[in-house]
Amino acid sequence: MKTMLVTGGAGFIGSNFIRYVLEKTGFPGRVVNLDKLTYAGNPENLEDIRRKYKSRYAFVKGDICDFRLLNGLFKKYSPETVVHFAAESHVDRSIFGPKDFIETNIHGTFALLETARSFWLSRIPDPRSSISYRFHHVSTDEVYGSLGKTGKFKETTPYDPRSPYSASKASSDHIARAYHHTYGLPVTISNCSNNYGPYHFPEKLIPLAILNALEGKPLPVYGDGLQVRDWLYVGDHCAAIWRILRKGRAGETYNVGGNCEKTNISVVKEICRALERLAPSAANPALKGRSYEDLITFVKDRAGHDRRYAIDFGKIKRGLGWSPSVTFARGLAETVRWYLGNAAWVGNVKTGAYRSWLKKNYD
Ligand code: NAD
Ligand code: DAU
């Protein structure tokens, strides 16, 4: 049976991706999910998948920096595909404590690449054009820095990372690219804009705003709220990665975006409007007569806050036939509905109850 090793599969995008692969693509093989279960990793995201795909889904708790563990995994499962999501992903946390970002995002990516190299290269007849083996590295548009009022990031835009998070991701991209150019490892890279959707950890803007609003807490907007991000529904991102795995060429980088530039303040206001439709503030005792928009609170800006991101995804559109399919209005409504309908997941994440469940089941 073919095996796909997914790292960071207990996180937001990784868990959506594993669900997508097993439920929507017809992939006949096995998925091995390697995740350290940091504060952001939550195997509850895939509990139903674990029960449904007993022989085709395996979870391994472990650190991508651990060479011995990686060697053991490659020996045991012989994965032909690695899809590498595992990372420290939150910009604010990287500002307050960059160490884990350097360790996981740089050293961890290196350890994975090096392990894949030692297991694969002797087995692949023509690694540079291999379609049966693939190391896909999931990265971010933040490596390109910040834009002025116009222009979009292309794959050829020079790197200009400006936070410890984006600098660590930029480093890992360079190392991944070097493994292709130097050793012929069949690497592809995607640089994607801001994702949103189910299972998003509520430290990031969209889930934080939804859950704070429902509890009548302030909705913190950094600075003037006029920073621009491009938003992509997570299901569209999963489809893009799948397309790259199937049709993308080793050695190539693909930008992935949602064609959906919005200021942060407009995103927060749209969340408030979606909530008014789906869970009106008038019927929510936590709001005490206020509307959701009344909760918007401008707070101190993020240090070094990038002003604007925008993605030119023409290469993946023309070359591989991928475009985003979910509008922001639809994706946001689905996301709000998901948080409203998954009170147990929300409760566990917010109270840390999943941490004790983790301890019981995974330590
Ligand atoms: P996340 O923080 O939700 O999940 C990260 C996962 O990685 C967690 O399950 C965590 O336990 C695991 N992990 C962390 N350190 C590890 C280690 N040393 N060993 C093994 N597992 C470890 O992140 P996300 O938002 O799902 O992002 C996934 C990837 O996509 C990251 O590489 C991120 O840089 C990239 N990305 C994210 C976005 C976004 O909007 N969220 C956009 C573009 C790119
Ligand atoms: O662009 C892709 C990146 O998107 C990914 O590489 C990162 O892993 C992911 O976390 C995300 O980074 P951002 O910093 O853009 O996401 P975040 O949700 O933290 O913030 C989105 C914007 O909203 C950003 O301009 C900061 C602002 N913000 C964020 C929070 C948490 C606020 O105004 N208030 C908040 O409380």
Side-chain angles (χ1 to χ4, degrees):
M1 193 184 327
K2 282 190 190 293
T3 298
M4 178 185 295
L5 173 63
V6 176
T7 70
F12 163 48
I13 307 175
S15 61
N16 275 283
F17 180 74
I18 290 175
R19 183 178 298 280
Y20 177 85
V21 168
L22 290 171
E23 301 269 84
K24 298 221 167 124
T25 64
F27 173 69
R30 168 174 57 193
V31 175
V32 176
N33 175 6
L34 169 63
D35 197 297
K36 185 179 174 185
L37 299 183
T38 67
Y39 78 94
N42 183 358
E44 196 184 344
N45 296 356
L46 289 170
E47 192 48 24
D48 56 326
I49 292 289
R50 188 183 67 80
R51 275 192 249 110
K52 184 168 169 189
Y53 295 95
K54 281 197 170 61
S55 60
R56 293 182 48 220
Y57 172 72
F59 179 78
V60 178
K61 184 180 177 209
D63 191 332
I64 55 163
C65 301
D66 182 343
F67 273 100
R68 262 173 63 157
L69 173 95
L70 293 178
N71 265 292
L73 272 185
F74 272 72
K75 263 195 196 125
K76 180 168 176 189
Y77 293 108
S78 301
E80 292 187 355
T81 308
V82 175
V83 186
H84 175 35
F85 292 96
E88 288 294 335
S89 69
H90 191 35
V91 175
D92 291 329
R93 284 181 190 256
S94 83
I95 294 167
F96 297 114
K99 188 166 177 284
D100 289 347
F101 289 73
I102 304 302
E103 275 167 11
T104 288
N105 300 1
I106 303 178
H107 297 168
T109 302
F110 161 67
L112 262 178
L113 286 162
E114 187 58 13
T115 308
R117 175 168 90 95
S118 67
F119 274 84
W120 286 356
L121 284 191
S122 56
R123 296 182 178 84
I124 310 178
D126 179 9
R128 282 178 204 278
S129 59
S130 168
I131 47 164
S132 54
Y133 285 82
R134 179 63 62 81
F135 188 114
H136 184 71
H137 174 62
V138 180
S139 191
T140 171
D141 59 357
E142 301 201 6
V143 298
Y144 299 120
S146 185
L147 291 163
K149 284 197 167 53
T150 58
K152 293 189 178 206
F153 298 133
K154 286 176 178 290
E155 288 80 358
T156 49
T157 302
Y159 274 30
D160 182 23
R162 294 145 54 98
S163 72
Y165 163 71
S166 54
S168 68
K169 292 295 291 187
S171 311
S172 64
D173 293 10
H174 289 316
I175 300 168
R177 221 166 262 130
Y179 267 67
H180 175 73
H181 288 289
T182 309
Y183 305 115
L185 197 75
V187 171
T188 43
I189 300 178
S190 52
N191 294 89
C192 183
S193 58
N194 285 59
N195 286 216
Y196 67 100
Y199 304 102
H200 206 177
F201 192 81
E203 64 185 352
K204 310 279 168 62
L205 179 65
I206 288 185
L208 177 88
I210 294 171
L211 297 184
N212 275 15
L214 289 170
E215 289 183 31
K217 292 182 178 167
L219 310 182
V221 174
Y222 298 165
D224 61 8
L226 296 178
Q227 304 81 6
V228 173
R229 296 290 180 268
D230 172 67
W231 292 95
L232 178 70
Y233 192 66
V234 65
D236 276 335
H237 187 191
C238 295
I241 294 172
W242 184 249
R243 192 67 65 97
I244 294 168
L245 290 175
R246 300 301 301 274
K247 299 198 162 155
R249 282 188 21 182
E252 294 294 326
T253 293
Y254 299 91
N255 279 356
V256 179
N259 200 19
C260 177
E261 281 183 57
K262 289 188 180 291
T263 61
N264 292 336
I265 185 66
S266 71
V267 167
V268 174
K269 287 187 175 170
E270 283 188 59
I271 291 170
C272 293
R273 287 196 288 275
L275 281 167
E276 292 293 358
R277 279 195 308 279
L278 297 166
S281 55
N284 181 341
L287 269 288
K288 300 192 177 104
R290 295 163 301 173
S291 72
Y292 291 120
E293 273 203 31
D294 291 339
L295 302 173
I296 293 176
T297 309
F298 288 90
V299 300
K300 189 168 174 271
D301 209 352
R302 171 185 279 175
H305 201 169
D306 287 342
R307 195 67 178 167
R308 175 171 166 261
Y309 303 146
I311 283 263
D312 178 341
F313 58 87
K315 179 175 170 179
I316 188 170
K317 183 175 177 189
R318 285 189 301 275
L320 309 186
W322 176 90
S323 313
S325 67
V326 179
T327 62
F328 190 69
R330 192 179 123 211
L332 188 64
E334 273 176 24
T335 304
V336 169
R337 263 190 227 106
W338 188 86
Y339 281 92
L340 290 170
N342 285 275
W345 184 94
V346 169
N348 283 344
V349 166
K350 293 200 81 161
T351 60
Y354 88 90
R355 292 262 134 233
S356 40
W357 178 77
L358 275 185
K359 254 198 130 18
K360 207 171 89 215
N361 291 289
Y362 290 94
D363 273 353

